[in-house]
Amino acid sequence: MIEPGTRAPALGLADQDGNTVALDDFAGRRLVIAFYPLDFSAVCTDQLSIYQEVLGEIESRDAALVGVSVDSSACHAAFREKIGLTFPLLADFHPKGAVSSAYGAYLEDRGHANRSLVLVDGDGTVRWSYATPTPLEVPGANLIFDALADA
Amino acid sequence: MVGTSSLGSAAVPSPDADDHVRGRGPVAIVYFDLACPRCAGTWAEIATLELELCVRHFPVASKRPRSPVLHAAAEAVAIQSEDAFWNFWDSLLADRAHVDDPHLWERVRDLGLDLDRFQSDRRSDAVAARVGRDFRSGIRAGVTATPSGFAAGERLGDDLAAALRDLSLQSR
């Protein structure tokens, strides 16, 4: 997992609408990146739904939130609509898992990202990172708020 | 639910006078979404266990748009009668096919409550704050799915019904 103090690797991923999203798009604001295994799987649905519920509070702390998985833009679009997400989901689809790998959040043996959280500050430096011990464990939104308060 | 108070990590609060608590036995706290099918299934298995069971609101509105309405309605019922709250809570989880407004009104009438008062209370700031209190304590305790449960300050396993059954048997 990427360490605090490290320069955040570039994003350059398509969002659910096919628009490329870069770290610079969030310049001056903090960015929480939530790497997660797969759209539509039960645990990921729970995780992202909870983050959606507190999205306003994340934004009120001068931060944005994006989700990243190996699913395609089209899949992300359907998934967002199904569970009512309004924050962007980025497609680490081709080359598969490249950005997740750059953040140390990719599980080669499984072919998807580990459930991980990264906080990048407005200058593009990683301030905090967290990886769950197993993909079945879900990092609570409380950890995001701990990081936003401390970082 | 935008607020300014902390949402950082905090232990799950012990039940207090404002909580909804029923039964006798080991104390357990559950965070429920009244529109969540898994919660309804779990409730059928745990409602009558020998536990001092504290239920808390955890509506996940983005996923289940009806959820906040049901939790506010339950809290509005509680303002008039705690016994009625439990009846209402049981009923919503037992019959998820009848949760539109006319069904809620019918329940309120059957419980002998004041319907006009229910209608104004369910949209009140006080009720929203009471539901939000539970939701925020759940977020701070790391709740990431419904149903979730806690006993003795510890998060219970994913098979909540099994965990609570084991807990209830410990008291014998």
Side-chain angles (χ1 to χ4, degrees), chain A residues 36-38 68-72 76 91-93 96-97 100 106 111-113:
Chain A
Y36 64 96
L38 294 165
V68 178
S69 78
V70 296
D71 298 281
S72 68
H76 279 334
D92 198 8
F93 180 70
K96 188 185 176 196
S100 305
Y106 193 63
H112 61 62

Side-chain angles (χ1 to χ4, degrees), chain A residues 42-43 45-54 56-57 60-61 82-85 136 138-143 145-146, chain B residues 1-10 38 58-64 135-136 139-146 158:
Chain A
V43 177
T45 302
D46 288 335
Q47 179 187 11
L48 299 182
S49 293
I50 297 297
Y51 294 174
Q52 176 68 38
E53 293 305 306
V54 296
E57 305 234 18
S60 75
R61 287 159 175 80
K82 179 175 164 69
I83 65 169
L85 302 182
L136 285 176
V138 180
N142 52 315
L143 302 183
F145 291 99
D146 290 344
Chain B
M1 292 186 192
V2 174
T4 52
S5 65
S6 175
L7 280 172
S9 302
R38 279 188 309 215
F58 202 81
V60 182
S62 53
K63 192 173 177 188
R64 294 178 281 265
F135 183 82
R136 298 177 77 85
I139 289 287
R140 300 191 70 175
V143 169
T144 51
T146 54
D158 286 343

Side-chain angles (χ1 to χ4, degrees), chain B residues 2-67:
Chain B
V2 174
T4 52
S5 65
S6 175
L7 280 172
S9 302
V12 68
S14 299
D16 68 20
D18 283 342
D19 270 305
H20 303 294
V21 183
R22 178 168 78 175
R24 289 190 173 190
V27 176
I29 300 165
V30 294
Y31 286 85
F32 260 57
D33 180 332
L34 286 168
C36 155
R38 279 188 309 215
C39 290
T42 300
W43 189 248
E45 296 187 62
I46 69 169
T48 59
L49 291 176
E50 285 184 35
L51 292 170
E52 186 178 322
L53 194 57
C54 168
V55 299
R56 289 188 177 148
H57 306 288
F58 202 81
V60 182
S62 53
K63 192 173 177 188
R64 294 178 281 265
R66 189 68 184 155
S67 183

Side-chain angles (χ1 to χ4, degrees), chain B residues 70-108:
Chain B
L70 300 183
H71 284 276
E75 209 45 58
V77 165
I79 288 174
Q80 296 192 47
S81 160
E82 187 67 11
D83 283 346
F85 165 84
W86 284 104
N87 193 306
F88 194 79
W89 180 276
D90 286 331
S91 165
L92 288 179
L93 289 166
D95 184 6
R96 292 196 314 113
H98 294 92
V99 296
D100 293 333
D101 274 6
H103 306 129
L104 302 183
W105 301 331
E106 193 180 326
R107 286 184 177 88
V108 168

Side-chain angles (χ1 to χ4, degrees), chain A residues 18-146:
Chain A
N19 300 316
T20 301
V21 173
L23 276 179
D24 283 350
D25 297 345
F26 304 93
R29 287 169 80 200
R30 300 187 287 176
L31 178 65
V32 178
I33 308 174
F35 294 94
Y36 64 96
L38 294 165
D39 289 351
F40 294 102
S41 70
V43 177
C44 300
T45 302
D46 288 335
Q47 179 187 11
L48 299 182
S49 293
I50 297 297
Y51 294 174
Q52 176 68 38
E53 293 305 306
V54 296
L55 180 62
E57 305 234 18
I58 291 172
E59 291 173 343
S60 75
R61 287 159 175 80
D62 195 29
L65 171 68
V66 297
V68 178
S69 78
V70 296
D71 298 281
S72 68
S73 288
C75 187
H76 279 334
F79 181 51
R80 276 173 99 244
E81 186 176 332
K82 179 175 164 69
I83 65 169
L85 302 182
T86 60
F87 57 88
L89 298 181
L90 309 185
D92 198 8
F93 180 70
H94 184 70
K96 188 185 176 196
V99 169
S100 305
S101 296
Y103 279 84
Y106 193 63
L107 299 172
E108 288 286 350
D109 54 335
R110 289 174 175 264
H112 61 62
N114 190 20
R115 233 176 272 288
S116 317
L117 294 167
V118 177
L119 175 63
V120 180
D121 71 14
D123 298 327
T125 302
V126 173
R127 286 298 165 200
W128 171 77
S129 65
Y130 177 84
T132 51
T134 77
L136 285 176
E137 195 170 306
V138 180
N142 52 315
L143 302 183
I144 296 174
F145 291 99
D146 290 344

